[in-house]
Amino acid sequence: MSQTQLQPNTIIPAKPFNAKAARRKAFIKKLAKNKAAMAGGFIVFFFAILAILAPVIAPYDPDHIEIIKKLEGPSAEHWLGTDDKGRDILSRLLFGAQISLSVGFVSTLLGAFAGVILGIVSGYYGGRTDTIIMRLTDVLLAFPGILLALAIVSVLGASTINVIIAVAFFAVPTFARIVRGSTLSVKKLEYIDAIRAMGASDFRIIFKHILPNIVSPIIVQATLYIASAIITASALSFLGMGTQPPTAEWGTMLSQGRSYIAQAPHITLFPGLVILIVVIGFNLFGDGLRDALDPKTKN
């Protein structure tokens, strides 16, 4: 008998169960079934690709001025028309995507980083530390986001960097509260007490055992907050407190076209539509992530 031939009583070992792979597969399956989330993800991906490839696919230099062609409507030469200085609106929208999306992503990343640190420290240690951090977040949350951002930019000065700082600053209390609540829930679990009894340090418990278990709400909140960050940044630029001309940015384009809204409505129409579509895309994708990551939802 061949050595490779199985004996009658040979027991084939079962393939070990991989919990992480199973959860990942279930998450992808639930997300793929959500058509709204898939549509939102496609919108986000599409505009991200446009922003990256803007220097390659833009038909014109976004700052190229042709006064004789100013305020022209959509045509074969300029698909979305030209602005008050004869600049191609499509090219400016493509390059503006780089600024607007960068502000949204970077400000959310900075705000989430600071908020996660404060929230997890507040929830884990509790006591006076928790009280101080939460009262500070209450004070910040008492102000409407756009007013707080306006106040910060007014002090720092109008620029893209300062807009990122202002929008990130307002994101901190929101992330801190979400992370604190999640940390309080995880901290009460028995295995955390067992790990602490084994002599694990607070740093190890926080970053190896608590943080990985509260990543889901952080990701969902970050995805949803990017939409708010883009709107806030565009609003600041519209008011002249954000990205300064002649840099192409969606809010700045809206501001420059408002004087010609009756004569050439396309100048404000297309930037406004782009902002609307991108914000809807992030919100749809964020809602889909929340449903897919929630274990209570059915497959």
Side-chain angles (χ1 to χ4, degrees):
M1 180 180 294
S2 174
Q3 293 182 355
T4 59
Q5 186 175 357
L6 294 176
Q7 298 298 323
N9 296 327
T10 300
I11 299 176
I12 301 175
K15 186 177 180 180
F17 177 72
N18 191 327
K20 289 185 178 180
R23 287 196 298 266
R24 189 184 305 113
K25 185 177 181 180
F27 163 73
I28 295 174
K29 182 179 178 181
K30 292 170 68 175
L31 187 63
K33 285 184 177 181
N34 192 324
K35 295 181 180 180
M38 288 293 96
F42 174 78
I43 292 172
V44 172
F45 179 77
F46 177 72
F47 277 93
I49 292 298
L50 289 181
I52 294 172
L53 298 179
V56 178
I57 63 178
Y60 298 94
D61 183 337
D63 298 325
H64 179 64
I65 296 175
E66 288 188 83
I67 296 298
I68 59 173
K69 295 184 178 181
K70 69 176 184 178
L71 304 180
E72 287 186 357
S75 63
E77 184 179 4
H78 298 281
W79 290 3
L80 302 184
T82 60
D83 63 9
D84 58 311
K85 295 179 177 61
R87 297 172 295 192
D88 183 65
I89 291 179
L90 175 58
S91 299
R92 292 183 64 76
L93 283 175
L94 291 173
F95 278 89
Q98 295 181 332
I99 301 295
S100 296
L101 293 180
S102 295
V103 170
F105 278 106
V106 175
S107 61
T108 301
L109 182 63
L110 294 176
F113 178 79
V116 167
I117 297 299
L118 290 175
I120 205 167
V121 168
S122 176
Y124 183 79
Y125 290 104
R128 183 174 298 179
T129 301
D130 181 35
T131 301
I132 294 174
I133 293 176
M134 286 300 102
R135 295 300 75 78
L136 289 175
T137 59
D138 289 341
V139 171
L140 294 177
L141 289 173
F143 294 93
I146 186 64
L147 292 182
L148 182 61
L150 270 173
I152 295 173
V153 173
S154 298
V155 173
L156 299 178
S159 71
T160 303
I161 297 298
N162 292 339
V163 168
I164 292 176
I165 295 173
V167 178
F169 188 81
F170 180 67
V172 173
T174 303
F175 280 97
R177 278 207 164 277
I178 291 174
V179 173
R180 173 185 178 269
S182 300
T183 301
L184 289 174
S185 299
V186 175
K187 189 179 72 169
K188 296 177 181 178
L189 299 178
E190 292 181 357
Y191 86 93
I192 297 295
D193 293 333
I195 295 170
R196 186 183 293 110
M198 293 172 63
S201 64
D202 289 346
F203 183 87
R204 181 179 178 84
I205 294 174
I206 289 174
F207 290 100
K208 187 173 179 60
H209 299 284
I210 293 181
L211 185 58
N213 287 288
I214 61 174
V215 168
S216 296
I218 296 173
I219 294 175
V220 172
Q221 179 59 30
T223 305
L224 295 173
Y225 188 80
I226 291 174
S228 300
I230 291 174
I231 292 177
T232 303
S234 298
L236 291 173
S237 297
F238 181 84
L239 296 173
M241 302 296 291
T243 303
Q244 298 299 297
T247 303
E249 195 271 342
W250 295 342
T252 304
M253 294 175 68
L254 280 174
S255 179
Q256 292 173 338
R258 59 181 172 176
S259 300
Y260 306 94
I261 196 167
Q263 182 182 359
H266 65 277
I267 299 179
T268 54
L269 174 63
F270 293 117
L273 281 176
V274 167
I275 294 173
L276 175 65
I277 293 171
V278 171
V279 169
I280 289 176
F282 274 107
N283 282 325
L284 289 176
F285 188 61
D287 288 339
L289 281 178
R290 180 176 56 199
D291 294 339
L293 291 170
D294 187 356
K296 297 179 182 178
T297 57
K298 297 181 180 179
N299 293 333

